Amino acid sequence: MFHKPLKLKLKGYDSFYADNEINRMINIEKLLISCSDEDLRIIERILQNATYSELSDEFYMSVSGIKYKLKKMFDACGVTTKTAFSELLKSYIRH
């Protein structure tokens, strides 16, 4: 005899995960968990308003390589610019 999977209906569960702010925090957490040490150092420098050129020099990468890395991070957080990324992180992270 097979049973159907039990579907739990927890009070507030659906509305909690439907909240845009909660989803942004979850996306930021997923991003930070998946980052390498180098990625975290790049994020730290972004929070200090480093330019693409400065990041390129500090991390021995081309500007396009830095932009590529950051584009993947931006996509994960739903932003399109370095400024928006920095502002988003600053709103959730104490640095």
Side-chain angles (χ1 to χ4, degrees), residues 26-78:
I26 290 169
N27 289 339
I28 290 169
E29 183 175 352
K30 285 179 184 177
L31 168 69
L32 295 175
I33 287 169
S34 68
C35 282
S36 67
D37 288 342
E38 180 179 66
D39 292 339
L40 292 172
R41 289 192 307 271
I42 290 171
I43 290 171
E44 182 178 12
R45 292 294 290 128
I46 292 293
L47 293 173
Q48 297 167 351
N49 300 316
T51 65
Y52 288 118
S53 179
E54 290 170 339
L55 293 170
S56 174
D57 291 344
E58 290 175 37
F59 293 96
Y60 304 103
M61 296 176 67
S62 67
V63 169
S64 61
I66 292 290
K67 287 182 177 182
Y68 176 77
K69 271 186 167 285
L70 288 173
K71 169 110 175 57
K72 292 185 346 186
M73 292 182 202
F74 296 172
D75 290 346
C77 293

